[in-house]
């Protein structure tokens, strides 16, 4: 690990990820585990959020209590698979703003093609966490972050379930200012751009499609 990449090393995450990797895991089980892992990853990626204090009354007395400072976070889901992580993240931080960006990977070139984008108007003033379960070639993440920078986002992080060494390297080269958090760094990409050993196509497994 370096300043650009954080592999969240936690026994619960490792265990749940193993359950997700199993090809026998049902759609319902996969989706449920993804939400659970999203909770744990969100806990880690938000560890250094700034705090301030406000005066509150407990049942016993008045005190200065810690609360999050500044504007609320914005989670940006790369469609469609990003929504699986997003659901768990919003459960943990229900006041966060949410954006969506649609990307699909051209099967011949493996390049990312954008087809949809909807963001909060004031995204430039918010910390932004971009989410997609897989950082494979890195093309979708790179293109999404490039678009977000163009519309004013400056405080960006990327969160994924699995990453490949190739995807991490591509992200670091394209966006060295955007740190990456992941549950696991897998071995490699295959000739079709899939992470190995991986867990298959996250979107298909989440929604029961092929």
């Amino acid at each position: 690990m370096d300043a650009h990449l954080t592999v969240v090393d936690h026994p619960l995450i490792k265990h749940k990820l193993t359950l997700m990797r199993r090809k026998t895991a049902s759609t319902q089980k996969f989706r449920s585990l993804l939400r659970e892992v999203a909770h744990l990853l969100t806990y880690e990626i938000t560890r250094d959020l700034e705090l301030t204090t406000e005066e509150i009354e407990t049942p016993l007395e008045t005190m200065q209590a810690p609360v999050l400072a500044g504007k609320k976070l914005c989670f940006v889901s790369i469609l469609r698979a990003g929504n699986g992580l997003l659901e768990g993240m919003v459960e943990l931080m229900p006041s966060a703003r949410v954006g969506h960006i649609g990307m699909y990977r051209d099967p011949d070139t493996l390049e990312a093609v954008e087809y949809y984008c909807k963001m909060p108007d004031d995204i430039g003033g918010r910390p932004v966490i971009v989410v997609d379960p897989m950082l494979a070639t890195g093309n979708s993440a790179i293109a999404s972050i490039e678009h977000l920078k163009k519309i004013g986002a400056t405080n960006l992080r990327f969160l994924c379930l699995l990453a490949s060494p190739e995807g991490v390297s591509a992200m670091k080269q394209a966006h060295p200012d955007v740190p990456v958090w992941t549950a696991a760094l897998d071995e490699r990409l295959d000739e079709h751009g899939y992470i190995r050993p991986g867990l298959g196509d996250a979107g298909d497994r989440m929604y029961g499609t092929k």
Side-chain angles (χ1 to χ4, degrees):
M1 290 190 293
D2 57 29
H4 187 258
L5 175 67
T6 299
V7 179
V8 182
D9 186 19
H10 193 288
L12 282 177
I13 291 178
K14 290 180 177 180
H15 174 75
K16 292 176 186 295
L17 183 55
T18 294
L19 298 178
M20 295 177 71
R21 289 185 192 269
R22 290 176 176 165
K23 67 179 183 180
T24 55
S26 68
T27 297
Q28 184 276 333
K29 185 68 171 177
F30 187 92
R31 193 182 298 143
S32 176
L33 287 165
L34 185 56
R35 285 199 305 272
E36 292 171 12
V37 173
H39 291 165
L40 297 167
L41 292 174
T42 304
Y43 177 84
E44 291 296 332
I45 199 171
T46 58
R47 181 180 289 275
D48 63 348
L49 291 181
E50 293 184 7
L51 292 170
T52 185
T53 60
E54 67 176 33
E55 187 174 286
I56 67 167
E57 289 187 14
T58 78
L60 300 177
E61 62 181 275
T62 300
M63 67 171 289
Q64 292 293 321
V67 292
L68 291 173
K71 286 192 173 182
K72 293 179 173 63
L73 279 168
C74 178
F75 299 143
V76 174
S77 170
I78 299 178
L79 300 174
R80 62 181 171 149
N83 282 356
L85 281 173
L86 177 67
E87 288 176 8
M89 296 171 74
V90 171
E91 285 176 0
L92 192 66
M93 300 187 68
S95 64
R97 303 299 185 260
V98 175
H100 294 87
I101 187 163
M103 291 279 178
Y104 70 87
R105 186 170 63 177
D106 185 289
D108 297 320
T109 67
L110 303 184
E111 293 297 317
V113 180
E114 180 183 326
Y115 64 89
Y116 179 81
C117 184
K118 185 71 172 179
M119 299 291 157
D121 292 335
D122 56 351
I123 193 169
R126 299 181 183 277
V128 178
I129 300 176
V130 183
V131 299
D132 194 351
M134 315 298 277
L135 180 60
T137 63
N139 291 335
S140 294
I142 289 168
S144 297
I145 290 169
E146 183 176 324
H147 180 87
L148 291 169
K149 286 181 175 180
K150 286 180 180 178
I151 62 174
T154 58
N155 184 356
L156 288 152
R157 300 178 180 193
F158 182 81
L159 179 65
C160 60
L161 183 67
L162 293 183
S164 72
E166 296 89 341
V168 170
S169 177
M171 271 284 289
K172 187 172 184 178
Q173 183 174 357
H175 299 291
D177 57 325
V178 180
V180 174
W181 271 259
T182 186
L185 181 64
D186 273 17
E187 294 175 6
R188 60 185 174 87
L189 289 182
D190 65 17
E191 63 274 16
H192 303 293
Y194 283 96
I195 298 174
R196 296 294 186 117
L199 48 71
D201 185 288
D204 285 343
R205 297 201 64 191
M206 189 190 318
Y207 297 117
T209 56
K210 292 183 178 180

